[in-house]
Amino acid sequence: MKTVVAVITLMLIAGGCSKLTLENYAKLKMGMTYSEVTALLGSPVSCDDMAGFKSCKWGDDKRHVSVQFAGDKTVLYSAENLQ
């Protein structure tokens, strides 16, 4: 029983500490570097690189932030279902 309680507690703590918030999304700015964005949002779940352009995603299919970089600078970003 103690193990179940500990696991549930850890899940609640981890879920509550998500950097994927509307407040952090509002801090994104054009021209931010990849390092600045990851400091704000944490590590992305995926990134694709092609010819000097990088497209990264934080979150899942229902709730996420997408950021596109040209070189190392943010050129476009969008979000879906943030709270």
Side-chain angles (χ1 to χ4, degrees):
M1 183 65 176
K2 286 183 181 181
T3 304
V4 173
V5 172
V7 169
I8 291 171
T9 301
L10 287 173
M11 289 173 61
L12 290 172
I13 290 170
C17 295
S18 174
K19 292 183 172 187
L20 197 58
T21 64
L22 195 53
E23 180 179 320
N24 282 344
Y25 177 76
K27 294 176 185 177
L28 290 173
K29 303 289 181 227
M30 299 297 256
M32 289 178 80
T33 65
Y34 175 80
S35 295
E36 292 171 323
V37 175
T38 57
L40 184 63
L41 299 178
S43 297
V45 293
S46 65
C47 283
D48 296 318
D49 287 308
M50 181 184 280
F53 292 93
K54 182 187 286 191
S55 178
C56 297
K57 182 178 178 180
W58 287 259
D60 55 35
D61 289 337
K62 293 184 179 186
R63 179 175 167 256
H64 65 267
V65 172
S66 297
V67 181
Q68 286 72 43
F69 302 88
D72 189 41
K73 302 290 183 181
T74 300
V75 294
L76 184 66
Y77 51 94
S78 64
E80 188 172 325
N81 295 323
L82 292 184
Q83 296 179 358

